[in-house]
Amino acid sequence: MAINFMTLTRHIYEGEKKHPGATGELSALLHELSLAAKVISLEVNKAGLADIIGFTGDNNVHGEQVKKLDMFSHDMLFKAMDHGGHLCAMASEEEEDIIHIPDHHKKGKYVLLFDPLDGSSNIDANVSIGTIFSIYKRITPNDGSPGTLEDCLQPGIKQVAAGYIVYGSSTIFVYTAGDGVFGFTLDPAFGEFLLSHDNIKIPEKAWIYSINEGNYKYWKPGLKKYIKYIQDADNRGRRPYSSRYIGSMVADIHRNMLYGGIFIYPADIRSPNGKLRLMYECNPMAFIIEQAGGRAIDGSKRIMEIQPSDLHQRVPIYIGSKEAVDKVEQFLKEDLEQ
Ligand code: P6P
């Protein structure tokens, strides 16, 4: 049910008024992102159409087969964002290097990093998937010059805004600009995102854990002990956690943020840095979860304090309800001390 019929556009611009020095550029950026989200949502919800579902036959920079919707979403975001004059550079999971703003377009003071369609292996199964974005202010001079890799490789604590769009039973646009987390549900009848989740706070206690248990034998001992601990109700005087794993980070974390839970993609003996990407998956989700009162660590330190070294670097991630992240951190620490 829409709350006070507050649209995303109005919420963004009202948020801008809280920042006297705001120029409106960030507001315009977020609004342009919401337009791209509507177009991607339209295509994602046409699932089953032969002309858009399936593989392009190409591989992306990570050697992963690229689904047409991946590239459509990537192209849609680029086309929506390249001419607004607010960005000096972009970066995408689908491109090896940073993406320059075309010469004939004005360069602005922000950079945008995004995963255009996360969870794409689920597309053909009609499982929820999502777009994730992260926005920083450039650190090189804001003189109209092209942005650089340095502008894109900033620690997550420097993000000015972050968000995701989850394409599921409905399309929800969730964002933070540092003053809380807000969710907007797309009303397809008239194409507006309406405020449906006002100032989201993640329950401090978790009831759900999300991890790919198929990798159990590769996990470190501390993680194995933690998972056994949360599966044993006697340890905590209440029912064991429920296991919920969609295999789509955005959908898993969105559900856990609303219900209380922890999402884990750990380092293991096969993947020493885990699987998920720091710059356009873990950092934006960490910003959102921290703004909602939760925590996000790589096993020992805050995700958002990691100094990036590569646009596509992977990090382990333990993210969700504070109580749960505190507890897994303790098990991992004890493991290291043995
Ligand atoms: P696994 C989807 O491909 C993704 O990048 C995330 O959205 C998801 O959480 C993870 O990978 C699932 O990975 O190895 O469990 O299939």
Side-chain angles (χ1 to χ4, degrees), residues 124-141:
D124 288 349
N126 201 29
V127 170
S128 297
I129 49 185
T131 298
I132 311 171
F133 63 87
S134 175
I135 300 171
Y136 294 84
K137 266 195 186 143
R138 70 184 300 174
I139 46 182
T140 51

Side-chain angles (χ1 to χ4, degrees), residues 150 164 211:
E150 185 193 6
Y164 59 81
I211 189 170

Side-chain angles (χ1 to χ4, degrees), residues 170-221:
S170 57
T171 295
I172 297 183
F173 186 111
V174 174
Y175 87 101
T176 183
D179 293 319
V181 181
F182 303 90
F184 300 78
T185 301
L186 182 62
D187 184 329
F190 53 102
E192 277 290 356
F193 280 107
L194 298 180
L195 183 64
S196 50
H197 299 75
D198 193 10
N199 198 17
I200 302 173
K201 292 299 174 195
I202 185 170
E204 183 162 342
K205 292 189 180 310
W207 293 105
I208 294 167
Y209 73 101
S210 307
I211 189 170
N212 184 340
E213 305 221 31
N215 298 325
Y216 179 81
K217 71 176 189 177
Y218 305 115
W219 295 347
K220 295 175 181 167

Side-chain angles (χ1 to χ4, degrees), residues 164 169 172 197 200-210 238-239 241-242 244 246 251-262 289 320-321:
Y164 59 81
S169 50
I172 297 183
H197 299 75
I200 302 173
K201 292 299 174 195
I202 185 170
E204 183 162 342
K205 292 189 180 310
W207 293 105
I208 294 167
Y209 73 101
S210 307
R238 57 187 189 166
R239 66 177 174 79
Y241 282 35
S242 293
R244 294 283 186 275
I246 300 169
D252 277 315
I253 293 180
H254 180 71
R255 179 212 48 240
N256 289 357
M257 181 167 67
L258 298 182
Y259 297 166
I262 182 169
I289 285 294
S321 296

